[in-house]
Amino acid sequence: MSSKKINLKKKFAMFDKHWSPRVIAEMNDYQFKIAKIKGEFVWHNHKHTDETFIVMEGKMSIKFRDGEVKLNEGEMFVVPKGVDHKPCAEKECKILVVEPRGVINTGEAGGKYTMTEDIWI
Amino acid sequence: MSSKKINLKKKFAMFDKHWSPRVIAEMNDYQFKIAKIKGEFVWHNHKHTDETFIVMEGKMSIKFRDGEVKLNEGEMFVVPKGVDHKPCAEKECKILVVEPRGVINTGEAGGKYTMTEDIWI
């Protein structure tokens, strides 16, 4: 087996930067990314794909134009494609994101948080 | 938002049957399934897709023709497409599986564990 097992806690210990997702695995053309988030992200959407958030540690909320979803540890949410959303976390929160390879974290919104290349850990 | 947040612990509490995955969410044409496993599954592979296992509670192993991977809580593994594997767990283990919609849990191996229809919870 060329694949290796992935320990999420060990991967989270490898970086500190907020809103800077790291790719930890690929399944077909989909990626598993982990991120540490704190504060407010930018409003954005992904025109061509849904996006899955799973809270591994802490709490986050996802704001929508018509409301908000609050997620605790062990909860997940699939943001449908094309829907404006804004992830937020009062305190640092650790999340697992699943989405197709090539998805830009800020959609077409741009800005300082935009990741233009994958960072694998 | 028509989507709803998903609490994994609450979903796991909704069924007891081993080796009987339940669909809890879809992202594009991919599904998130949870399963309680105990004992030995059948040898099988998925010719056309990778398959991701994430251990939510307990321990499992995935046997391969050339070895074995042992996974603890908080660890994940992507089984490459076409690779024979046999999930096992000495004690009950709770897992999250991510794979495309339509994947049969036993591949082409058949047998008593084969799920021919999705069960959503």
Side-chain angles (χ1 to χ4, degrees):
Chain A
M1 287 301 310
S2 57
S3 301
K4 289 188 179 171
K5 74 171 179 176
I6 294 148
N7 182 299
L8 289 164
K9 280 197 178 170
K10 287 182 185 170
K11 293 291 188 188
F12 273 116
M14 293 173 68
F15 69 104
D16 289 313
K17 193 175 179 187
H18 293 148
W19 304 113
S20 182
R22 309 290 150 127
V23 182
I24 58 169
E26 283 188 345
M27 165 192 55
N28 303 322
D29 54 346
Y30 278 66
Q31 291 183 327
F32 290 82
K33 300 172 183 174
I34 57 172
K36 293 179 176 179
I37 64 173
K38 186 180 179 187
E40 299 212 338
F41 201 59
V42 293
W43 279 107
H44 68 285
N45 70 67
H46 305 290
K47 276 194 180 156
H48 305 294
T49 181
D50 302 341
E51 182 176 45
T52 302
F53 292 83
I54 306 176
V55 177
M56 304 307 293
E57 194 180 315
K59 298 178 180 190
M60 73 175 294
S61 64
I62 306 174
K63 293 183 180 171
F64 298 99
R65 299 296 187 187
D66 63 352
E68 185 179 10
V69 171
K70 290 176 185 289
L71 299 177
N72 295 310
E73 190 172 314
E75 292 183 331
M76 62 181 280
F77 193 86
V78 181
V79 177
K81 68 179 174 184
V83 171
D84 281 353
H85 60 286
K86 179 188 181 85
C88 304
E90 281 187 29
K91 297 177 182 175
E92 183 180 273
C93 176
K94 294 174 185 168
I95 63 173
L96 175 64
V97 175
V98 191
E99 62 194 1
R101 191 190 301 134
V103 169
I104 302 294
N105 60 334
T106 51
E108 295 174 359
K112 65 177 180 176
Y113 293 130
T114 300
M115 302 271 288
T116 52
E117 286 187 9
D118 289 343
I119 305 180
W120 276 84
I121 56 172
Chain B
M1 285 304 309
S2 58
S3 301
K4 287 185 180 172
K5 74 171 179 177
I6 295 149
N7 183 298
L8 289 162
K9 281 197 176 168
K10 287 183 184 169
K11 293 292 187 188
F12 274 115
M14 293 173 70
F15 68 104
D16 290 314
K17 193 175 180 186
H18 292 149
W19 304 112
S20 183
R22 310 291 149 126
V23 182
I24 58 168
E26 283 187 345
M27 165 191 57
N28 302 323
D29 55 345
Y30 277 66
Q31 291 184 326
F32 291 82
K33 301 172 182 174
I34 57 173
K36 293 179 177 179
I37 65 172
K38 187 180 177 185
E40 298 213 340
F41 201 59
V42 293
W43 280 107
H44 69 286
N45 69 66
H46 305 289
K47 274 192 183 159
H48 305 294
T49 181
D50 301 341
E51 182 176 44
T52 302
F53 292 83
I54 306 175
V55 177
M56 305 307 293
E57 195 180 313
K59 298 178 181 193
M60 74 175 294
S61 64
I62 306 174
K63 292 182 181 171
F64 299 98
R65 298 296 185 188
D66 62 353
E68 184 179 11
V69 172
K70 291 177 184 288
L71 300 176
N72 295 309
E73 189 172 315
E75 293 183 331
M76 61 181 281
F77 193 87
V78 181
V79 177
K81 67 180 178 186
V83 171
D84 281 353
H85 60 285
K86 179 188 182 84
C88 303
E90 281 187 28
K91 298 178 181 174
E92 183 180 273
C93 177
K94 295 174 184 166
I95 62 172
L96 175 63
V97 175
V98 191
E99 62 193 2
R101 189 191 300 133
V103 169
I104 302 294
N105 59 333
T106 52
E108 293 174 359
K112 65 176 179 176
Y113 292 129
T114 301
M115 302 272 288
T116 52
E117 286 187 10
D118 289 342
I119 305 179
W120 276 84
I121 56 171

